Amino acid sequence: MRELLDSLPDGLPYTIASGGRRLDILAVLEGNGLAKRFPSFVCGDDVEKSKPDPECFRKGLELLQARGASHLEPATCLTFEDSFRGVEAAKKAGMKCVAVTHSYPAEKLTEADQVLDSLLDWTWG
């Protein structure tokens, strides 16, 4: 994840929109020295419906818009997912999705726009 974050084009807004619990996400971020990069995010504690419902992605977009990226629309957003439910949620939200075969094999993630074996395989080009 660190390499992906370091590769972001300058000024590109980003956040987390996860179904995980806030305490668990914070523990991972703090344990990996990434907490400062995500001062706020959307998690399972913030939504009524879990993935494959697109609520978390819609709230993530609202968060980015509130932080100054008012120009963002769902079609201009890119998500990274590791589950077929997450891919389905991203697509229902109208967002592009890159799936990573971390939790599921590629054949379970075919709804994604692109499937990678690792985040290290991602390039912005």
Side-chain angles (χ1 to χ4, degrees):
M1 177 56 74
R2 184 179 316 281
E3 291 85 355
L4 177 67
L5 291 172
D6 289 344
S7 76
L8 290 174
D10 288 338
L12 189 70
Y14 63 92
T15 192
I16 293 172
S18 172
R21 296 179 330 148
R22 184 170 305 282
L23 285 175
D24 295 336
I25 295 168
L26 284 172
V28 170
L29 291 174
E30 289 169 1
N32 289 284
L34 297 172
K36 288 183 181 179
R37 293 183 115 161
F38 296 96
S40 58
F41 56 84
V42 176
C43 67
D45 303 336
D46 302 320
V47 297
E48 292 182 23
K49 298 177 183 175
S50 60
K51 296 173 185 176
D53 190 274
E55 182 182 7
C56 73
F57 288 121
R58 290 183 179 140
K59 286 192 176 213
L61 175 57
E62 290 170 8
L63 176 66
L64 293 174
Q65 290 169 333
R67 292 195 313 205
S70 59
H71 64 284
L72 286 180
E73 296 294 331
T76 63
C77 294
L78 175 65
T79 65
F80 290 88
E81 264 299 333
D82 69 346
S83 76
F84 61 91
R85 286 182 182 89
V87 171
E88 184 179 345
K91 300 311 284 181
K92 284 181 178 178
M95 299 176 180
K96 300 284 186 201
C97 184
V98 173
V100 182
T101 58
H102 174 72
S103 302
Y104 294 93
E107 52 271 10
K108 294 277 190 178
L109 303 170
T110 57
E111 297 289 317
D113 296 286
Q114 186 173 1
V115 179
L116 304 174
D117 290 327
S118 168
L119 284 176
L120 295 174
D121 296 334
W122 175 256
T123 61
W124 291 105

